[in-house]
Amino acid sequence: DAGVIQSPRHEVTEMGQEVTLRCKPISGHNSLFWYRQTMMRGLELLIYFNNNVPIDDSGMPEDRFSAKMPNASFSTLKIQPSEPRDSAVYFCASTVQGGQPQHFGDGTRLSIL
Amino acid sequence: GENVEQHPSTLSVQEGDSAVIKCTYSDSASNYFPWYKQELGKGSQLIIDIRSNVGEKKDQRIAVTLNKTAKHFSLHITETQPEDSAVYFCAALGFQKLVFGTGTRLLVSP
């Protein structure tokens, strides 16, 4: 079975540019989570969706960050404009709503120059 | 909200030794505690989990213990092998959200 699929695996771009990270959850999972991982803060939850609806976005750091889930099989995390401090590894995870465990993708390593 | 603390941040052991990683949590309502292993360049993989109605769970060389009164839980790896080297994260399920510890980098030397 395919796991959670994230793309791209690596992204390097200059500050000010728009960055879009993509995630395909496991088929049948209706909860999706976006995390950011840094050395300083560890793994932080940014936002999560149940049935394509954003439930809690309190972890989104700034208005520059936005996330969408137009359908059950696709979600995006967008940063516009990007800044060097956004450099991190971004993970997507999915699970059945109310269930555990969460299954993680391999992440997108983002570097903003 | 839930707060999870994890210790140690790094742990070096010799192959064959045991390794123990400890976590504490703050929300007494939390009832699910997974452990994840993250290898370099990969996402986190669940290795074992425990629910609050159980005090201990074991899966081959890996075990987790939970003390709800003290609000702490621990990961035990016995007979460590070099391939156990990775970053390990504990987590606690708060209100619909997993809250993660800051991770433990485990290095198993041959």
Side-chain angles (χ1 to χ4, degrees):
Chain A
D1 288 341
V4 175
I5 300 173
Q6 290 186 246
S7 63
R9 289 298 314 278
H10 304 274
E11 175 90 18
V12 180
T13 192
E14 293 184 338
M15 64 178 294
Q17 297 297 307
E18 178 180 290
V19 173
T20 300
L21 311 182
R22 298 173 177 80
C23 176
K24 176 179 170 58
I26 292 173
S27 178
H29 284 188
N30 54 359
S31 289
L32 183 141
F33 305 79
W34 281 102
Y35 292 89
R36 177 171 68 176
Q37 184 177 40
T38 62
M39 288 292 293
M40 292 297 294
R41 295 183 173 176
L43 204 57
E44 304 173 276
L45 178 65
L46 300 177
I47 185 171
Y48 77 95
F49 297 82
N50 284 344
N51 295 313
N52 313 337
V53 176
I55 302 301
D56 184 346
D57 65 355
S58 59
M60 296 286 262
E62 298 172 34
D63 291 345
R64 299 184 295 106
F65 285 68
S66 62
K68 293 181 180 179
M69 193 164 185
N71 58 62
S73 59
F74 183 66
S75 177
T76 60
L77 177 67
K78 188 172 294 187
I79 308 173
Q80 167 64 17
S82 58
E83 296 182 4
R85 60 195 169 114
D86 301 331
S87 298
V89 182
Y90 291 80
F91 288 100
C92 176
S94 72
T95 187
V96 175
Q97 183 180 346
Q100 296 293 334
Q102 293 181 19
H103 297 261
F104 282 77
D106 285 340
T108 294
R109 182 173 294 277
L110 178 63
S111 297
I112 308 298
L113 307 178
Chain B
E2 177 64 276
N3 181 49
V4 176
E5 295 190 358
Q6 182 172 347
H7 300 280
S9 57
T10 58
L11 180 59
S12 294
V13 299
Q14 293 289 318
E15 182 177 2
D17 289 349
S18 294
V20 180
I21 304 171
K22 298 181 180 181
C23 288
T24 60
Y25 62 99
S26 61
D27 187 354
S28 57
S30 292
N31 59 7
Y32 174 74
F33 308 91
W35 285 89
Y36 284 86
K37 175 183 181 182
Q38 186 178 52
E39 296 176 277
L40 192 63
K42 300 244 177 180
S44 299
Q45 300 291 319
L46 179 77
I47 55 172
I48 196 167
D49 55 10
I50 191 168
R51 298 189 183 272
S52 59
N53 57 346
V54 176
E56 184 175 359
K57 183 176 178 181
K58 190 173 182 181
D59 183 3
Q60 299 182 342
R61 297 186 296 109
I62 296 174
V64 57
T65 58
L66 171 65
N67 183 327
K68 286 217 69 180
T69 303
K71 290 188 283 189
H72 66 73
F73 56 112
S74 301
L75 177 71
H76 304 254
I77 306 174
T78 58
E79 301 172 28
T80 54
Q81 302 168 1
E83 50 265 40
D84 294 330
S85 297
V87 179
Y88 291 81
F89 292 93
C90 65
L93 185 64
F95 182 66
Q96 296 188 45
K97 299 188 294 188
L98 277 180
V99 177
F100 285 85
T102 49
T104 296
R105 184 172 298 278
L106 174 64
L107 176 62
V108 181
S109 302

